[in-house]
């Protein structure tokens, strides 16, 4: 297999050549698209490696290269034991616990780790880049426990589990099975990495795991943010709400971009809406906040999303190793770019923003099932009493919202000193990342519950029909889940199935096809 191709195949995504888009990261991590390495970036890797070797020969002392780690940084290691030092580092730090990270997260981490080294400030050899490229292209995914990182000195434990596989130890996922890394490497004829001075440290120092989680969550969240607008529009129609609060005049005098986008989305989804036309002259002046303030709440979450995505993308293209190598000045400098604080704060902010999408969705669902507020049959069933309809789906939504509120307690405000007080302030960013994953999944459930109830509510107004976008959402939903009306059944599997489709953006895609000259933003 050719690792470095001067005539780069257009069928592969090239790492190290330019800015990597989020869409390309998704293609590699979830669709298993193969990667190539940009030849010019290897020159940077070689230059940094040459600097490391020259500085070692000078007899100087350099952290993590010829010293111990953390509180043992003052222990000088003899030259003949430098390779052993790197192996011991990887083995000792690979002590994470808990459920494994999903394969797409680990693959995304490998991509970001390659990009970090290709910046030319790490000092690893090109062989280290090439073996990670092989793992991606052969579909070999390290088994990485999710817990054990405090997010300073980087994601040490999870990154060490990846490094452990590169040296032929530990377990990997390969063709759907969890197997020995050494067996897989022998099977595909990949020689395990034999790390040289600094290379173990290059592999485990950095924020790539928490950043990978942030980026994958951002991709899914963008689908959910658009989905939330669709669900809100349908719920608004079901309770015969007014579109006045969504008029552009209101948004223009408080011109947050997210607010303006949400209001425009709702207007387009409900364009030429038959249900709205039927009550244009009713006595209702304004709706509850959960309907009237959708542009402000959904919009604020979108503004937060824009900020955190910019942060994650900057981090994905940054050098977060330590010490950092600067070949142009022949220097090796110790610093703190591994500290996860920028990512940890963004992850916690992101979690709160997405939880708010769930919070306001649950409030709209409560209005849908509350006959005193909605004007619809109690709990959206024709035979209330005998049937419970959407009574307990709302309870499920409330439970999920409660869990999200607990998980929104920011991990980044905590710090527990480690390594004999040498590492005396840490970000806890990996905890923030793991919480965000749960919150995002919960929000997908909450939105699926509102969508199902909203569609049920809209159908009580037949033969009146909603606007084209909302009509498409009703059609999409009914293709997945039949109406409940007056025949109770267990909705668990249907809720989960719809939630998975929402995360994949299937509803958004279907609705976009129905909108004339407009695409949900």
């Amino acid at each position: 297999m050719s690792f470095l191709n001067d005539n780069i195949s257009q069928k592969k995504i090239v790492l190290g050549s330019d800015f990597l888009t989020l869409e390309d990261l998704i293609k590699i991590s979830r669709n298993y698209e193969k990667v190539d390495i940009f030849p010019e970036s290897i020159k940077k890797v070689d230059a940094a490696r040459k600097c490391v070797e020259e500085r070692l020969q000078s007899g100087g002392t350099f952290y993590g290269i010829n010293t111990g780690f953390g509180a043992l940084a003052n222990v000088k290691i003899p030259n003949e034991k430098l390779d052993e030092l790197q192996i011991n580092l990887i083995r000792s730090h690979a002590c994470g616990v808990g459920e494994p990270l999903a394969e797409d997260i680990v693959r995304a981490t490998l991509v970001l780790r390659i990009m970090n080294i290709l910046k030319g400030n790490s000092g690893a050899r090109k062989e280290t880049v090439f073996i990670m490229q092989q793992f991606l292209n052969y579909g070999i995914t390290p088994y990485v426990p999710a817990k054990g990182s405090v997010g300073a000195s980087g994601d040490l434990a999870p990154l060490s589990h990846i490094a452990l596989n590169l040296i032929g130890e530990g377990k990997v996922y390969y063709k759907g099975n969890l197997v020995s890394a050494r067996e897989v490497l022998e099977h595909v004829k990949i020689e395990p990495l034999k790390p040289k001075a600094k290379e173990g440290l290059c592999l485990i120092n950095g924020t790539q795991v928490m950043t990978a989680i942030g980026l994958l969550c951002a991709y899914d969240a963008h689908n959910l943010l658009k989905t939330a607008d669709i669900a809100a529009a349908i719920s608004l129609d079901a309770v015969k709400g007014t579109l006045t609060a969504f008029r552009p005049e209101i948004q223009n005098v408080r011109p947050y971009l997210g607010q303006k986008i949400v209001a425009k989305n709702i207007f387009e989804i409900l364009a030429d809406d038959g249900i709205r036309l039927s009550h244009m002259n009713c006595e209702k002046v304004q709706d509850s906040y959960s309907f009237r303030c959708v542009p402000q709440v959904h919009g604020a979450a979108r503004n937060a999303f824009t900020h955190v995505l910019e942060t994650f993308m900057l981090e994905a293209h940054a050098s977060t190793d330590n010490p950092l190598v600067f070949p142009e000045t022949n220097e090796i400098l110790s610093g703190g770019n591994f500290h996860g604080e920028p990512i940890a704060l963004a992850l916690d902010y992101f979690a709160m923003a997405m939880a708010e999408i769930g919070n306001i969705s649950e409030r709209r669902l409560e209005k849908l099932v509350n006959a005193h507020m909605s004007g619809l049959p109690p709990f959206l069933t024709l035979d209330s009493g005998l049937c419970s309809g959407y009574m307990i789906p709302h309870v499920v939504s409330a439970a999920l919202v409660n869990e999200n509120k607990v998980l929104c307690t920011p991990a980044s405000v905590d710090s527990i000193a480690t390594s004999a007080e040498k590492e005396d302030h840490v970000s806890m960013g990996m905890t923030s990342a793991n919480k965000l994953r749960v919150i995002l999944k919960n929000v997908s459930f909450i939105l699926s519950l509102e969508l199902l109830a909203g569609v049920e509510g809209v159908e009580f107004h037949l033969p009146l029909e909603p606007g084209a976008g909302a009509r498409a959402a009703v059609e999409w939903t009914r293709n997945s889940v039949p109406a409940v009306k007056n025949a109770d059944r267990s909705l668990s599997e249907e809720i989960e199935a719809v939630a998975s489709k929402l995360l994949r953006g299937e509803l958004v895609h279907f609705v976009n096809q129905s909108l004339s000259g407009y695409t949900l933003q």
Side-chain angles (χ1 to χ4, degrees):
M1 177 182 177
S2 173
F3 301 120
L4 190 59
N5 183 4
D6 290 331
N7 299 312
I8 294 171
S9 168
Q10 295 302 310
K11 294 182 180 179
K12 294 181 180 179
I13 295 171
V14 181
L15 302 180
S17 62
D18 203 351
F19 187 83
L20 182 77
T21 67
L22 180 55
E23 289 72 21
D24 280 344
L25 183 65
I26 294 296
K27 290 176 184 176
I28 300 167
S29 60
R30 292 180 174 172
N31 301 339
Y32 287 76
E33 291 204 15
K34 292 180 168 55
V35 301
D36 240 325
I37 306 300
F38 189 59
E40 289 299 312
S41 66
I42 292 298
K43 294 179 181 178
K44 296 180 183 179
V45 173
D46 287 340
R49 184 63 201 174
K50 182 181 178 183
C51 181
V52 169
E53 292 175 353
E54 287 178 350
R55 300 302 287 151
L56 274 175
Q57 290 172 5
S58 73
T61 301
F62 305 97
Y63 172 73
I65 300 176
N66 55 6
T67 73
F69 307 98
L72 303 175
N74 294 326
V75 179
K76 183 76 179 284
I77 308 298
N79 286 347
E80 65 271 16
K81 290 190 176 292
L82 295 186
D83 292 354
E84 183 181 352
L85 173 70
Q86 301 302 309
I87 292 287
N88 288 342
L89 172 70
I90 292 170
R91 287 172 176 163
S92 65
H93 285 50
C95 58
V97 297
E99 294 296 317
L101 292 172
E103 291 188 53
D104 60 346
I105 294 173
V106 179
R107 286 180 59 81
T109 300
L110 279 167
V111 172
L112 300 185
R113 196 71 247 180
I114 289 173
M115 289 171 57
N116 185 78
I117 294 175
L118 292 179
K119 294 284 291 183
N121 300 114
S122 289
R125 296 169 301 149
K126 55 179 170 278
E127 287 82 358
T128 303
V129 172
F130 293 154
I131 193 168
M132 287 191 283
Q133 179 194 17
Q134 287 178 297
F135 267 60
L136 287 170
N137 288 349
Y138 275 104
I140 304 169
T141 306
Y143 178 95
V144 181
K147 297 182 180 181
S149 169
V150 295
S153 289
D155 294 317
L156 291 174
L159 286 173
S160 295
H161 281 275
I162 294 175
L164 193 68
N165 289 163
L166 301 181
I167 67 173
E169 299 180 18
K171 295 181 179 180
V172 297
Y173 293 104
Y174 182 65
K175 294 186 176 180
N177 298 307
L178 183 61
V179 292
S180 159
R182 184 167 297 279
E183 289 179 13
V184 172
L185 296 185
E186 289 176 355
H187 174 71
V188 298
K189 296 180 172 55
I190 295 176
E191 188 70 24
L193 181 69
K194 295 180 175 60
K196 299 296 181 181
K198 195 184 186 298
E199 288 195 299
L201 196 57
C202 289
L203 288 169
I204 74 170
N205 228 307
T207 60
Q208 282 70 42
V209 183
M210 67 175 87
T211 304
I213 292 173
L215 285 167
L216 297 185
C217 285
Y219 184 84
D220 292 336
H222 199 208
N223 288 327
L224 292 184
L225 288 168
K226 296 175 187 178
T227 298
D229 293 350
I230 297 170
I234 293 173
S235 296
L236 182 71
D237 231 13
V239 299
K240 291 190 173 181
T242 175
L243 270 179
T244 300
F246 300 86
R247 286 180 55 167
E249 296 92 331
I250 293 175
Q251 324 316 320
N252 289 340
V253 295
R254 196 192 194 193
Y256 289 108
L257 181 59
Q259 180 174 329
K260 295 172 79 171
I261 288 173
V262 171
K264 177 68 171 172
N265 281 349
I266 300 290
F267 247 108
E268 294 294 336
I269 292 166
L270 294 178
D272 300 319
D273 187 276
I275 298 174
R276 182 166 63 93
L277 292 174
S278 73
H279 61 90
M280 288 290 286
N281 298 315
C282 69
E283 296 181 355
K284 182 186 287 188
V285 177
Q286 57 186 19
D287 297 303
S288 301
Y289 286 0
S290 57
F291 293 102
R292 195 192 335 157
C293 299
V294 165
Q296 290 75 20
V297 177
H298 287 199
R302 282 173 172 269
N303 293 335
F305 167 82
T306 299
H307 166 68
V308 300
L309 180 57
E310 288 176 354
T311 301
F312 298 152
M313 291 303 291
L314 188 153
E315 189 79 359
H317 293 84
S319 292
T320 60
D321 204 343
N322 184 58
L324 288 169
V325 181
F326 297 92
E328 59 275 13
T329 57
N330 200 31
E331 291 182 290
I332 299 176
L333 305 178
S334 287
N337 277 5
F338 53 70
H339 201 292
E341 193 75 1
I343 304 302
L345 289 172
L347 288 164
D348 281 335
Y349 182 28
F350 195 8
M352 289 186 282
M354 293 310 299
E356 276 297 277
I357 293 294
N359 287 354
I360 196 169
S361 174
E362 179 275 328
R363 288 291 80 200
R364 291 191 297 264
L365 175 54
E366 193 279 331
K367 300 299 182 295
L368 288 168
V369 301
N370 185 340
H372 300 294
M373 303 292 291
S374 69
L376 297 167
F379 305 107
L380 303 174
T381 177
L382 290 172
D383 202 350
S384 56
L386 178 64
C387 296
S388 295
Y390 276 83
M391 179 190 294
I392 303 306
H394 170 245
V395 173
V396 173
S397 180
L400 294 166
V401 165
N402 172 258
E403 183 180 10
N404 282 354
K405 290 176 182 177
V406 173
L407 291 172
C408 276
T409 301
S412 57
V413 300
D414 184 34
S415 178
I416 300 174
T418 60
S419 194
E421 291 282 347
K422 185 76 170 181
E423 298 162 2
D424 60 343
H425 183 279
V426 299
S427 76
M428 297 300 180
M430 191 63 190
T431 303
S432 302
N434 284 330
K435 293 194 297 98
L436 174 63
R437 289 192 295 138
V438 179
I439 287 172
L440 211 62
K441 186 69 173 176
N442 285 348
V443 171
S444 74
F445 291 140
I446 294 166
L447 289 176
S448 70
L449 286 159
E450 182 190 359
L451 178 68
L452 294 178
V455 167
E456 201 87 25
V458 163
E459 290 178 334
F460 279 111
H461 299 307
L462 290 172
L464 298 174
E465 289 193 338
R471 202 159 55 243
V474 171
E475 179 186 348
W476 181 88
T477 303
R478 282 292 167 256
N479 287 338
S480 302
V481 178
V484 175
K485 292 293 186 278
N486 60 343
D488 281 349
R489 65 176 188 277
S490 172
L491 290 172
S492 290
E493 291 183 5
E494 293 168 349
I495 294 165
E496 295 208 5
V498 169
S500 295
K501 292 177 181 180
L502 298 183
L503 280 168
R504 293 195 295 268
E506 292 184 20
L507 172 61
V508 172
H509 177 72
F510 195 85
V511 170
N512 275 334
Q513 291 178 317
S514 73
L515 299 176
S516 177
Y518 185 78
T519 301
L520 295 176
Q521 300 177 55

